[in-house]
Amino acid sequence: MKKGYYALAVFLGGCSYGILSTFVKLAYAAGFSLTEVSGGQYFFGTVIIWGAVLFTKNNKISLKEAFILLLCGIPFALTGLFYYQSLKTLNASMAIVFLFQFVWIGTLFDWIFYKKKPTKGKLLSIVILLIGSFLAANITTQQGVALSWQGVIWGLLSSLTYTLSLFLSSIVGKNTTPLLKSALFSTGAFIVIIVLLRPTFLFNFSVLMGMAPYGLILGIFGVVLPPLLFLIGMPHVGPGLGTILPASELPVAIIMSLVVLKEQVNWLQWVGVILILAGIIGSNIRLDKEKADEVKDCSNVTF
């Protein structure tokens, strides 16, 4: 039962990320820029998570551990920035497919760092997930889909940093509460956003309040919930399975675009959604025994 609970936490973390694209589009349609969207997301998210920390106990942590957790927030911020950068030269469908490559990069990480060679069942699940991502992203029916080497590089970098975020979630701060770890991750990510984007609009009250409705939603589902859920579940499911479960992001993104944005979703996209969910369920069933082994291996790696 507990293993299912931890797997569900990681799955829901992926679902949370799937909500973001819809509200990012709405924020852009309202006239807000990348700096305002990203800055507002991390500002409101960081404020919310630290507000929650203030009402909890057992928040003691050493300066060394706090510094390490702050650094671990860097790949969380870079994932969004790299993904948004890829969107400058790739259409949204192609960009999300490149981001989706984290499903096999995570298995590669697992092989390199934990010497766990992927099983045939796991490889089959990855193939199903990748096929599902191409169908769900609607690439097969689009005309004149163009690639640029800059967009491909940025897209692959976003998948690499996303994998690194999930990987770090499984091994860092084992003696720290998930809520405090999540707050430090978010703070580290917010610092990166401040340094790279310089969101001076945070000092403009009218712009900040205008951004608030979008920033609160993006902050909750992009800054508060995913790190918290990953930090709860990843140490128990391990990086191998833990980088497959967040594949739930793409089906949720498609459903949100249908319900909120009223975008058309064709039958091939629904086939892709079904394949992605089948790949997640299949990997969860096949790797049930491996999860215990991954947890044992992860327990030997601490920071």
Side-chain angles (χ1 to χ4, degrees):
M1 183 67 179
K2 285 187 176 180
K3 290 181 180 178
Y5 165 78
Y6 294 123
L8 179 62
V10 178
F11 179 84
L12 291 176
C15 290
S16 296
Y17 273 133
I19 292 173
L20 298 183
S21 59
T22 294
F23 288 96
V24 167
K25 289 180 181 179
L26 290 174
Y28 285 156
F32 293 102
S33 66
L34 168 62
T35 297
E36 291 165 342
V37 170
S38 297
Q41 174 181 329
Y42 281 94
F43 171 75
F44 286 107
T46 303
V47 170
I48 291 170
I49 192 69
W50 276 110
V53 169
L54 293 177
F55 291 96
T56 60
K57 300 178 180 180
N58 302 321
N59 289 324
K60 294 182 179 180
I61 187 173
S62 69
L63 288 176
K64 179 182 178 181
E65 289 176 319
F67 181 70
I68 290 173
L69 290 170
L70 283 172
L71 290 179
C72 289
I74 295 175
F76 273 99
L78 292 180
T79 298
L81 292 178
F82 289 156
Y83 178 64
Y84 293 145
Q85 191 69 26
S86 73
L87 287 171
K88 290 185 176 181
T89 53
L90 296 178
N91 63 32
S93 299
M94 287 303 302
I96 199 167
V97 166
F98 282 110
L99 172 63
F100 211 77
Q101 302 310 302
F102 70 82
V103 298
W104 65 263
I105 296 177
T107 300
L108 182 61
F109 271 38
D110 204 26
W111 193 356
I112 293 173
F113 293 104
Y114 295 133
K115 311 300 181 185
K116 299 187 74 65
K117 187 177 180 179
T119 63
K120 291 182 179 180
K122 190 171 187 178
L123 291 175
L124 177 61
S125 294
I126 291 173
V127 171
I128 292 173
L129 288 169
L130 292 177
I131 293 174
S133 71
F134 275 91
L135 293 176
N138 201 28
I139 290 177
T140 55
T141 60
Q142 293 188 39
Q143 301 294 325
V145 176
L147 287 176
S148 71
W149 65 267
Q150 299 100 326
V152 170
I153 291 175
W154 287 119
L156 291 175
L157 282 174
S158 70
S159 68
L160 181 62
T161 53
Y162 189 29
T163 307
L164 183 58
S165 300
L166 297 170
F167 183 79
L168 290 173
S169 297
S170 69
I171 61 175
V172 298
K174 293 185 178 295
N175 298 319
T176 308
T177 62
L179 190 62
L180 180 57
K181 284 192 291 185
S182 180
L184 290 168
F185 267 49
S186 301
T187 303
F190 186 38
I191 292 172
V192 172
I193 296 297
I194 291 174
V195 172
L196 296 181
L197 297 183
R198 299 179 182 178
T200 54
F201 79 93
L202 293 175
F203 300 99
N204 186 322
F205 184 77
S206 61
V207 177
L208 184 61
M209 288 299 98
M211 182 63 208
Y214 306 101
L216 286 170
I217 294 175
L218 294 174
I220 292 171
F221 291 102
V223 179
V224 177
L225 290 180
L228 179 60
L229 292 168
F230 291 153
L231 287 164
I232 290 172
M234 284 294 291
H236 299 275
V237 302
L241 179 60
T243 48
I244 291 179
L245 291 168
S248 56
E249 173 184 349
L250 186 49
V252 171
I254 291 172
I255 293 171
M256 287 294 295
S257 67
L258 172 66
V259 174
V260 179
L261 300 178
K262 308 301 180 183
E263 294 182 354
Q264 295 295 318
V265 178
N266 61 44
W267 69 271
L268 277 177
Q269 288 178 278
W270 287 119
V271 171
V273 168
I274 293 171
L275 285 175
I276 291 171
L277 295 176
I280 294 172
I281 294 171
S283 64
N284 200 25
I285 293 173
R286 292 189 186 97
L287 299 178
D288 185 59
K289 181 178 180 298
E290 292 182 28
K291 285 190 284 185
D293 297 333
E294 288 177 351
V295 172
K296 182 179 178 181
D297 290 339
C298 288
S299 64
N300 297 323
V301 184
T302 58
F303 285 82

